[in-house]
Amino acid sequence: MKLTTKISHYYLLTVCTTFVIFGFFSYHLIRYEIIDEIDDQLYLRKAEISRNIPEIFAVANIGSRLQVSPVDMARSGKTEIIDTALFNDIEGEYIPFRQLTFYETIRDSSYKIVLRQSLLESEDLANSIILVLVIV
């Protein structure tokens, strides 16, 4: 094999390996940034709900995005954020959501408030960005 052929093979192998590694890290970085933004949006909505408790209490359940349910005083307290999936009857499949659960006292009663934000659009966005990077 000629020297230029060997150099070309090594170069191609190095470039492909580097591209795969950076593609993997880019995908996870983009996905992390999107989830971080969704978490920020959920915490902003939590602050808005906490400021406007009486108005929110009047509309206790708004689809799958906001749910308010009474709980015992002993259970109230911590705020948690998790990934979950909810079944969509129209599409017939589970859709991923990011869920923020916190507790508030409204008129001397404790309530569990659940906020959800769909991850479907963000996953589509991350996949589209990676596809564009692969094509370019």
Side-chain angles (χ1 to χ4, degrees):
M1 216 187 310
K2 291 185 178 180
L3 183 60
T4 56
T5 307
K6 279 185 169 182
I7 290 173
S8 295
H9 285 163
Y10 286 128
Y11 176 75
L12 186 61
L13 181 66
T14 304
V15 167
C16 287
T17 304
T18 305
F19 182 74
V20 167
I21 290 170
F22 282 116
F24 177 78
F25 286 122
S26 296
Y27 174 78
H28 286 288
L29 179 65
I30 290 168
R31 193 165 192 290
Y32 170 80
E33 289 298 326
I34 290 172
I35 293 218
D36 188 50
E37 179 63 27
I38 288 173
D39 290 351
D40 289 344
Q41 289 175 4
L42 287 172
Y43 280 111
L44 285 173
R45 285 177 56 200
K46 175 189 179 218
E48 182 180 331
I49 286 172
S50 295
R51 280 193 313 267
N52 302 316
I53 285 292
E55 293 84 15
I56 298 299
F57 187 68
V59 287
N61 293 311
I62 303 174
S64 60
R65 303 218 181 237
L66 171 66
Q67 291 181 336
V68 178
S69 55
V71 294
D72 297 332
M73 291 294 281
R75 289 191 49 197
S76 64
K78 75 176 192 174
T79 298
E80 66 179 1
I81 192 159
I82 60 169
D83 289 326
T84 188
L86 298 175
F87 189 75
N88 185 329
D89 293 330
I90 297 170
E91 295 181 15
E93 61 183 18
Y94 284 94
I95 296 180
F97 280 86
R98 192 81 171 154
Q99 176 176 298
L100 174 71
T101 304
F102 64 100
Y103 299 87
E104 286 287 334
T105 302
I106 305 168
R107 298 183 192 124
D108 296 329
S109 298
S110 290
Y111 291 90
K112 175 182 171 182
I113 301 174
V114 179
L115 295 172
R116 293 186 187 98
Q117 179 72 33
S118 174
L119 291 175
L120 197 59
E121 297 87 10
S122 61
E123 287 180 354
D124 289 344
L125 176 64
N127 291 336
S128 298
I129 291 171
I130 295 302
L131 181 64
V132 167
L133 289 175
V134 167
I135 290 173
V136 171

